[in-house]
């Protein structure tokens, strides 16, 4: 996780209702609906826009390489964000509780999506995950109630606990054979889930390890269709067995 603390600031430069020092935007307290981050900025600090209720759109210059934890968390009116392609990871709770966010471009260089990054983005309908992405953190997309489908790239090797928990509109998931372990509750309470399109064979599917809690919270709803490259099955406990997560 990325953390740049506002307490690190000992000199403050005010520019268009922004606090900027050493090319880092530490705080934006503007009531404007549409904001262009200045081209001089190369980093955005943790919580910089947090709980800004007025913000509808923000354009971030390509020079920005780091955006801190919870930078846009709770921006309930935020609909549009332009992220630079060179950002290598999306931090903890970066867009959590952004109720109005409907779609977003994940940077092409992103290697990971952190824990809770998009949690409770209730209107998020579409995400395009880039090739090269390796990790999707715990609860990264939990309770994204409008998300209907997701294609997980073949480069992803880790899906966190509850990564898509409670995505009640999610119907179809493309799951790569690069994922060898299904963590607790990965797709739990995805009540509309009809099918997992698995990019490996039935034999590879049977080798997947499934992590469960003492309450038998499995990662995929029982009976979900699993479509492999050489046939179909339904989700039950794979022959690879289960591991306790407690």
């Amino acid at each position: 996780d990325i953390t740049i603390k506002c307490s690190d600031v000992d000199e403050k430069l005010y520019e268009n209702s922004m606090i900027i020092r050493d090319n880092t935007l530490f705080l934006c307290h503007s009531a404007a609906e549409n904001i262009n981050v200045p081209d001089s900025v190369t980093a955005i600090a943790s919580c910089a826009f947090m709980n800004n209720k007025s913000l509808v759109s923000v354009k971030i210059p390509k020079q920005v390489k780091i955006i801190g934890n919870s930078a846009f968390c709770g921006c309930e009116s935020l609909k549009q964000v332009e992220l630079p392609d060179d950002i290598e990871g999306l931090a903890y709770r970066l867009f959590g509780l952004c109720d109005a966010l409907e779609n977003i471009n994940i940077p092409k260089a992103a290697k990971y999506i952190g824990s809770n990054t998009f949690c409770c983005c209730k209107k998020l309908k579409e995400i395009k995950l880039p090739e090269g992405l390796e990790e999707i953190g715990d609860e990264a997309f939990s309770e994204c109630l409008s998300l209907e489908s997701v294609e997980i790239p073949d480069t992803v090797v880790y899906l966190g606990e509850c990564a898509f928990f409670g995505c009640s509109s999610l119907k179809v998931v493309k799951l790569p054979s690069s994922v060898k372990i299904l963590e607790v509750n990965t797709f739990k309470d995805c009540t509309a889930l009809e099918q997992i399109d698995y990019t490996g064979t039935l034999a590879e599917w049977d080798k997947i390890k499934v992590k469960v809690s003492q309450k038998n919270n499995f990662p995929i709803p029982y009976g979900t269709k699993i479509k492999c490259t050489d046939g179909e099955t339904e989700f039950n406990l794979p022959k690879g067995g289960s591991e306790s997560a407690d």
Side-chain angles (χ1 to χ4, degrees), residues 62-77:
K62 63 181 181 180
Q63 293 87 346
V64 171
K65 306 298 183 186
I66 297 174
I67 303 178
N69 298 335
S70 302
F72 296 94
C73 182
C75 293
E76 59 185 29
S77 301

Side-chain angles (χ1 to χ4, degrees), residues 2-246:
I2 303 167
T3 303
I4 309 171
K5 297 180 180 178
C6 291
S7 59
D8 293 337
V9 181
D10 51 26
E11 297 177 11
K12 298 177 180 178
L13 171 65
Y14 288 80
E15 180 180 331
N16 297 325
S17 301
M18 298 179 186
I19 301 175
I20 300 171
R21 179 179 180 265
D22 294 336
N23 304 114
T24 296
L25 192 163
F26 284 93
L27 181 66
C28 177
H29 50 85
S30 172
E33 291 185 356
N34 306 300
I35 291 178
N36 292 335
V37 175
D39 289 341
S40 61
V41 171
T42 58
I44 296 174
S46 301
C47 309
F49 292 83
M50 188 174 183
N51 293 328
N52 186 324
K53 308 301 183 186
S54 302
L55 185 64
V56 174
S57 71
V58 59
K59 185 175 181 180
I60 300 171
K62 63 181 181 180
Q63 293 87 346
V64 171
K65 306 298 183 186
I66 297 174
I67 303 178
N69 298 335
S70 302
F72 296 94
C73 182
C75 293
E76 59 185 29
S77 301
L78 183 63
K79 292 183 178 180
Q80 183 176 355
V81 182
E82 293 185 31
L83 292 173
D85 278 335
D86 291 338
I87 292 178
E88 294 185 356
L90 300 185
Y92 167 76
R93 216 172 173 83
L94 181 57
F95 295 102
L97 301 169
C98 289
D99 291 345
L101 190 66
E102 294 185 1
N103 56 68
I104 190 168
N105 65 303
I106 307 296
K108 293 179 180 178
K111 299 296 184 186
Y112 67 90
I113 296 173
S115 300
N116 299 94
T117 299
F118 294 98
C119 69
C120 301
C121 291
K122 296 178 181 179
K123 291 187 179 180
L124 185 65
K125 295 180 179 179
E126 182 180 356
I127 51 169
K128 185 174 181 180
L129 303 177
E131 290 293 332
L133 186 70
E134 297 174 358
E135 298 183 12
I136 299 175
D138 297 347
E139 301 185 54
F141 294 94
S142 64
E143 298 189 79
C144 289
L145 303 181
S146 299
L147 189 64
E148 294 185 357
S149 66
V150 61
E151 292 191 11
I152 300 171
D154 293 336
T155 49
V156 170
V157 295
Y158 177 77
L159 278 178
E161 294 184 14
C162 303
F164 293 90
F165 173 86
C167 293
S168 55
S169 297
L170 188 62
K171 295 179 180 179
V172 180
V173 173
K174 178 188 173 185
L175 183 69
S177 58
S178 53
V179 175
K180 306 299 184 185
I181 298 174
L182 292 174
E183 300 288 342
V184 173
N185 296 337
T186 307
F187 296 99
K188 183 176 173 59
D189 288 350
C190 293
T191 52
L193 188 61
E194 299 172 352
Q195 182 171 306
I196 300 285
D197 290 333
Y198 180 64
T199 64
T201 63
L202 286 164
E204 288 176 300
W205 175 258
D206 282 339
K207 292 179 182 178
I208 288 179
K209 295 288 185 182
V210 173
K211 288 192 176 181
V212 299
S213 70
Q214 290 181 350
K215 296 180 180 179
N216 286 330
N217 287 324
F218 292 98
I220 298 173
Y222 259 61
T224 300
K225 182 189 293 185
I226 310 298
K227 186 177 181 180
C228 302
T229 57
D230 58 350
E232 295 181 0
T233 186
E234 292 184 353
F235 180 77
N236 49 45
L237 193 61
K239 293 179 181 177
S242 62
E243 296 180 358
S244 174
D246 298 316

